[in-house]
Amino acid sequence: MADTGDWQKLAKAKLEAINHSIPKKWRIESLPSREQQRDVTGDFVHQYLSTEEVEITEATATAIVEKTSAGEWTAEAVIRAFSHRASLAHQLTNCLHETFFDAATKDAKALDEHFAKHRKPIGRLHGLPVSLKDQFHVKGVETTMGYVGWIGTFQGKKGAGKERVFESELVKELRDLGAVLYCKTSVPHTLMTGETTNNIIGYVSPFLNFSEFSQMNRLTPINHQTWNPKNRNLSCGGSSGGEGALIALRGSPVGFGTDIGGSIRIPAAFNGLYGLRPSAGRLPYEGMANSMDGQNSVLSVVGPLAPSIGALQLLVKSLLSREPWLHDPLVHPMPWRESSAILPSEPRLTFAVLRHDGVVSLHPPIRRAIETVVESLQKQGHKVIAWDPPSHRRGEEIVLKAWTYDNGADIRSAFALSGEPMVPQIATMYGGKMADAPPKDATHIAANNVAKREWQKEYMEYWNSTAEVTGTGRPVDAVIAPVAPFAAARPNCYLYYSYSLFVNALDYTACAFPVTTVDKNVDTVDSSFKPMSEIDKKVAETYDPDIYDGAHVSLQLIGRRLEEEKVLSTLLDF
């Protein structure tokens, strides 16, 4: 194990490398404090961009592809604009782990040369910039996954022969489709928390200039955050938090994250984006870095985040056109099913709504968002019923047991490489007494898998039973639920995960979607609130209308297993 000074030096050097990879011409010399500028999206970030750059970076992924595929925009102009805006986003929120702008520009120029010669695009994503969570391996850059001990290695191993040359399967597919890759985004070390925090990155301190920011030595874990650009009092979410912050600032038109407990939907929700959690085996995960690799009871899945639902549909359809099941043994041989994307001919759909999971109450903005969506659906002629399913606490228990089969041995081994400490959000689960406990045996794991199957069966039959009350002869078409009990987490205050975890236990398709923003004059504290439990009380106490004012408020739409087409099409019609 390295000593404390060694890991601090490594972390500081890596942070400085990230910050100095931003071209000098794109550096912000005077960064506003959170008090001076809570919201750094929209008009604020526009001041640093040209009119052309704003036009390009505000365009949706589908609009970009239309223009690059028709020769109206060059891939080079598009990637330069997004590289600039991504650089600004990092300085304002600390959302990047790796940049490779020069390599991206070279790739974009090659696309333009192909188009000039053949007058047709290379693929369905010709010239589209795509950002990636720092789990994806990309040639020419590292994958640290937030671990100091992974710096200069391949997943913590030195001399593996894969350093900076190996690429994940999805990365290869994106390149073949004509996408341009240019940056990798911040994650919490281990990936196992809803805040993006590690010992390498630090937040942009509002009273420092760029040079001082690059040189400061941050040793307080609470400061090691990627911030929410809409409201910098709050977290951007996790574990795909860097993606959420970057895309919210339009430093990327679309990106990819992963989700084992909400890690796509949480940052999408906190940042006012759409974020798809597909069922396991729909999109390729092959060749990606991960925690607890080999734990197969509750699988992590890969999915896209974007400001528009059309972008998610574009990316999923494009990837499935590449037949990824031929290169990833865990992907189902299931092309995009257009028939599944067609909603029932009966004009009325039926949605179920989860207003409370029986354990933790929702903050006022989340409650208002639910009623806003319910009212809108009813005005469109759809039916809305209450959702009262089998206990979500059982699903949460199944997931948490799966995450601790090895009692954190894999995670602690990654920390031991450098001697770095766990941030508090991780130490809560994987520190303390767990370090002295033996890993679970095969009997324990088998019992948890049986419990999962039985709970999934019970939930399935409950869903089926709703056909008796929908009036359509079908069970409910989809479920509307919170992603979290709050609009976004305050630092070190993500206290309850069950609203996102139950989806992973069921392996259902789900997509986060934006609804509104917090209004401190409307979303006031409920003086009559009486907590059901200590955790209910603690979560409620984190809400402050003044602190949350202006934050995005989002929900999730949940379908059954492998209903990606249906979920995305339903949201397109919302």
Side-chain angles (χ1 to χ4, degrees):
M1 179 186 291
D3 64 34
T4 301
D6 287 338
W7 80 254
Q8 289 177 354
K9 290 175 184 177
L10 281 171
K12 182 179 179 181
K14 181 64 176 179
L15 176 62
E16 290 179 349
I18 296 168
N19 293 334
H20 285 290
S21 72
I22 295 174
K24 290 183 179 180
K25 63 182 179 180
W26 292 343
R27 297 178 187 177
I28 303 171
E29 292 302 326
S30 180
L31 293 163
S33 69
R34 283 176 286 165
E35 291 74 22
Q36 292 170 323
Q37 191 66 43
R38 176 182 295 198
D39 180 357
V40 293
T41 63
D43 290 343
F44 179 82
V45 74
H46 288 173
Q47 68 181 298
Y48 304 108
L49 299 162
S50 68
T51 301
E52 180 185 21
E53 287 174 323
V54 171
E55 180 186 7
I56 289 172
T57 54
E58 294 286 325
T60 65
T62 50
I64 291 169
V65 170
E66 287 174 4
K67 289 185 177 293
T68 53
S69 297
E72 295 180 39
W73 286 350
T74 65
E76 181 182 357
V78 171
I79 197 58
R80 287 190 185 277
F82 276 102
S83 296
H84 185 188
R85 193 151 178 172
S87 297
L88 298 173
H90 175 66
Q91 294 171 75
L92 294 166
T93 63
N94 212 31
C95 58
L96 300 181
H97 273 186
E98 303 285 342
T99 68
F100 35 106
F101 301 146
D102 290 343
T105 302
K106 182 179 179 181
D107 291 341
K109 287 181 177 178
L111 291 173
D112 291 335
E113 290 171 3
H114 173 91
F115 189 89
K117 182 177 180 180
H118 301 285
R119 305 308 301 173
K120 64 179 182 180
I122 278 184
R124 295 186 180 205
L125 304 180
H126 182 92
L128 179 67
V130 176
S131 53
L132 300 168
K133 183 179 186 177
D134 192 22
Q135 276 183 267
F136 292 88
H137 293 296
V138 179
K139 64 182 180 182
V141 294
E142 290 185 327
T143 301
T144 67
M145 214 169 77
Y147 287 122
V148 176
W150 281 22
I151 296 171
T153 73
F154 181 81
Q155 297 181 184
K157 299 179 177 65
K158 293 184 177 180
K162 293 184 176 181
E163 297 90 336
R164 297 176 179 264
V165 294
F166 179 80
E167 291 203 316
S168 304
E169 186 59 38
L170 188 138
V171 171
K172 298 176 185 177
E173 303 289 4
L174 288 171
R175 290 193 189 279
D176 288 343
L177 287 162
V180 181
L181 311 178
Y182 63 115
C183 64
K184 294 206 294 177
T185 52
S186 56
V187 300
H189 54 207
T190 76
L191 311 175
M192 304 305 292
T193 179
E195 298 176 63
T196 294
T197 172
N198 63 57
N199 292 317
I200 299 172
I201 61 168
Y203 73 111
V204 176
S205 183
F207 47 82
L208 299 176
N209 62 33
F210 186 91
S211 176
E212 291 170 323
F213 163 54
S214 298
Q215 295 172 13
M216 70 183 287
N217 185 11
R218 303 172 183 81
L219 301 180
T220 307
I222 193 67
N223 288 343
H224 292 195
Q225 288 268 356
T226 299
W227 296 102
N228 189 314
K230 184 67 175 174
N231 183 331
R232 293 193 295 165
N233 292 316
L234 305 171
S235 169
C236 64
S239 61
S240 310
E243 283 299 312
L246 177 67
I247 300 170
L249 270 165
R250 301 301 187 264
S252 169
V254 65
F256 278 91
T258 61
D259 193 316
I260 194 173
S263 291
I264 290 171
R265 291 162 290 146
I266 290 167
F270 288 8
N271 292 283
L273 306 171
Y274 295 89
L276 177 69
R277 186 259 177 218
S279 293
R282 197 70 204 272
L283 296 177
Y285 209 102
E286 175 68 22
M288 291 176 60
N290 203 3
S291 288
M292 303 170 292
D293 193 17
Q295 179 281 110
N296 291 337
S297 295
V298 181
L299 288 172
S300 177
V301 299
V302 62
L305 302 84
S308 69
I309 196 69
L312 304 191
Q313 195 173 73
L314 170 67
L315 268 293
V316 173
K317 290 177 72 171
S318 297
L319 284 168
L320 293 179
S321 75
R322 296 287 306 162
E323 300 182 336
W325 49 87
L326 296 178
H327 302 283
D328 184 336
L330 298 185
V331 173
H332 301 297
M334 185 181 295
W336 177 268
R337 299 161 297 176
E338 202 62 51
S339 60
S340 298
I342 300 173
L343 299 179
S345 56
E346 163 69 40
R348 185 180 70 174
L349 299 177
T350 303
F351 297 90
V353 175
L354 178 69
R355 290 182 170 91
H356 198 296
D357 70 350
V359 180
V360 167
S361 304
L362 307 176
H363 281 188
I366 303 295
R367 296 202 303 268
R368 179 167 63 87
I370 288 176
E371 300 314 316
T372 297
V373 172
V374 167
E375 182 180 352
S376 175
L377 291 172
Q378 289 175 333
K379 284 182 177 179
Q380 295 174 50
H382 302 302
K383 186 173 182 178
V384 179
I385 66 172
W387 191 243
D388 186 22
S391 169
H392 284 180
R393 180 171 285 182
R394 287 168 56 196
E396 180 183 33
E397 290 172 354
I398 290 162
V399 173
L400 294 180
K401 285 180 180 179
W403 288 357
T404 55
Y405 283 158
D406 70 347
N407 281 322
D410 174 69
I411 284 169
R412 287 194 300 277
S413 69
F415 285 109
L417 292 171
S418 67
E420 65 172 313
M422 298 180 187
V423 296
Q425 294 90 334
I426 301 302
T428 300
M429 175 175 286
Y430 293 105
K433 295 181 180 179
M434 183 175 287
D436 301 321
K440 307 300 189 298
D441 60 21
T443 302
H444 178 103
I445 295 170
N448 197 43
N449 285 334
V450 170
K452 182 187 74 168
R453 186 183 70 232
E454 291 175 345
W455 187 68
Q456 288 175 331
K457 168 66 172 174
E458 186 177 345
Y459 214 100
M460 176 185 289
E461 294 302 342
Y462 171 74
W463 193 310
N464 292 338
S465 72
T466 62
E468 300 173 6
V469 296
T470 60
T472 64
R474 305 185 307 271
V476 296
D477 294 289
V479 177
I480 295 163
V483 175
F486 29 70
R490 293 171 65 177
N492 214 19
C493 290
Y494 208 129
L495 305 176
Y496 187 72
Y497 287 89
S498 189
Y499 281 105
S500 59
L501 283 184
F502 82 93
V503 174
N504 299 82
L506 295 165
D507 194 26
Y508 282 172
T509 302
C511 189
F513 64 95
V515 179
T516 185
T517 57
V518 177
D519 184 336
K520 65 180 181 181
N521 297 315
V522 175
D523 302 310
T524 56
V525 174
D526 182 0
S527 59
S528 65
F529 172 72
K530 293 182 179 180
M532 300 174 61
S533 62
E534 185 61 24
I535 185 62
D536 195 20
K537 179 175 180 288
K538 287 181 178 179
V539 171
E541 288 173 346
T542 65
Y543 181 63
D544 182 322
D546 289 317
I547 290 174
Y548 272 88
D549 191 42
H552 288 292
V553 186
S554 303
L555 301 172
Q556 61 180 329
L557 186 75
I558 303 166
R560 303 178 92 160
R561 285 189 67 243
L562 299 167
E563 287 194 338
E564 290 74 28
E565 295 90 344
K566 181 179 179 180
V567 167
L568 292 177
S569 293
T570 301
L571 283 172
L572 275 172
D573 283 359
F574 258 34

